[in-house]
Amino acid sequence: MARILSRVAPWLPSAPSRRLEGECLTGTVRVLGASDTGLLGELVARDPVANVFIDAQLAASGSAAPTSSGGMVLGRFDGGMLDSACWVGANVVPIEASAEAAVEFADAILPLGRRFSSVFGLSEAVLSIWSRLQDGPQRAFDIRARQPLMILDHAPPAGPATGLRPTLESDYDAVLPACARMFEEELGYSPLTGGGSYYRSRVRSLIRQGHSLVDFDASGAVRFKAELGTVSPRATQIQGVWMDPRHRGRGLAAPYMAAVAGYALSLAPVTSLYVNDYNAAALATYRRVGFRQAGEFATVLF
């Protein structure tokens, strides 16, 4: 089940392989601790959009120390200065890492004996990490090497759809199947196989946080839905965009995305998303809404 949830499930608990804060894993890489929080914050601030995942983690926890669920941040030091970092939990997420630094992180991660759901982030670092992790015990389910990172930092020029609203807890039973259909279209498997307790919990959490958005058609079925999968004070990341196939091809996507972006920009000054480079229709829609490419992500799914 963990591998099915990989791309959209960074909340899943990590494999039990704990390391102490401050512990050195290689000559240049060690586990960050509470005393490194300021340094990590400065590193993340270099690009709070690309680093929104760890920025949100820091905003929630207030510390770079390992988490109770086993997640931790590795730091690479050069001359005593923190020059890059890497989140290691259910997922591996490089932070401001060059290709060289990414390889060093991978060499530190392999001996930990953990299993991961995914590696995601800026493409150069992700693919460099994978160049080493591919020699480990896990086999990739899919490698998405080119995913344009799109950003929007101003009001969308397209008029927003008026029906989109935050999802209510009473909408859960209607929204969950739509979320699962989106997931299955994206990865080819249902996240609800075997009960899907983690996925169900994630959907509920997004609703309770006000980070799930939905519109219904006249029959009461979900016509469109999206989530703000990651939210920090400086940026948000839109995920889980889905339109019921019965309503596709009617020019509705851009107005809905304009509404999603407008809502996201009420929470932080910039919003972002990343999309597979072969999804020409989605890329065209995002550009019509005003998104522009600001980098490139990659994702390795296990």
Side-chain angles (χ1 to χ4, degrees):
M1 189 61 204
R3 78 170 189 175
I4 296 173
L5 290 172
S6 57
R7 182 166 182 265
V8 294
W11 59 87
L12 294 182
S14 304
S17 177
R18 300 182 184 278
R19 293 293 188 270
L20 299 176
E21 56 182 280
E23 183 176 349
C24 293
L25 302 183
T26 72
T28 58
V29 175
R30 67 169 172 81
V31 180
L32 298 187
S35 63
D36 299 305
T37 302
L39 292 175
L40 181 60
E42 292 174 6
L43 190 69
V44 169
R46 294 180 187 175
D47 190 344
V49 174
N51 298 323
V52 65
F53 174 83
I54 193 64
D55 202 16
Q57 296 268 23
L58 276 176
S61 69
S63 176
T67 69
S68 59
S69 62
M72 60 185 175
V73 182
L74 306 185
R76 178 180 181 264
F77 290 81
D78 182 8
M81 302 296 293
L82 179 66
D83 69 10
S84 54
C86 187
W87 167 262
V88 180
N91 302 291
V92 174
V93 185
I95 304 153
E96 296 297 303
S98 65
E100 177 187 1
V103 168
E104 291 190 38
F105 284 125
D107 288 342
I109 290 167
L110 270 173
L112 298 177
R114 292 192 176 199
R115 298 185 67 83
F116 305 105
S117 295
S118 70
V119 184
F120 67 87
L122 290 173
S123 58
E124 180 183 55
V126 166
L127 297 177
S128 295
I129 288 174
W130 173 237
S131 73
R132 285 287 205 269
L133 292 189
Q134 66 182 346
D135 296 327
Q138 283 191 276
R139 295 293 171 261
F141 169 70
D142 195 8
I143 301 172
R144 300 179 178 187
R146 298 180 61 85
Q147 297 176 304
L149 173 63
M150 314 288 287
I151 67 169
L152 181 67
D153 58 5
H154 57 82
T162 58
L164 192 74
R165 61 166 174 81
T167 308
L168 306 175
E169 291 196 42
S170 58
D171 297 325
Y172 171 80
D173 288 340
V175 169
L176 177 66
C179 293
R181 287 181 67 186
M182 177 281 302
F183 191 99
E184 191 164 358
E185 285 181 20
E186 179 71 14
L187 292 182
Y189 295 90
S190 171
L192 302 179
T193 302
S197 60
Y198 287 121
Y199 191 79
R200 293 173 187 273
S201 175
R202 175 61 170 173
V203 172
R204 286 191 185 277
S205 176
L206 289 168
I207 292 172
R208 289 169 181 161
Q209 293 169 16
H211 297 165
S212 170
L213 301 168
V214 67
D215 189 24
F216 295 90
D217 64 20
S219 71
V222 173
R223 176 160 44 201
F224 176 90
K225 68 93 188 173
E227 291 88 44
L228 304 183
T230 308
V231 176
S232 83
R234 293 183 283 197
T236 63
Q237 189 174 93
I238 298 168
Q239 299 175 357
V241 176
W242 182 82
M243 178 90 71
D244 187 314
R246 294 173 296 178
H247 297 284
R248 295 174 187 173
R250 299 182 182 179
L252 299 174
Y256 275 125
M257 283 305 303
V260 173
Y263 183 84
L265 290 171
S266 73
L267 302 180
V270 60
T271 189
S272 69
L273 53 84
Y274 58 101
V275 58
N276 296 317
D277 65 336
Y278 52 78
N279 194 340
L283 283 166
T285 294
Y286 300 147
R287 290 183 178 121
R288 280 199 297 273
V289 174
F291 282 87
R292 68 183 188 277
Q293 185 168 350
E296 185 175 82
F297 266 34
T299 305
V300 179
L301 300 167
F302 299 105

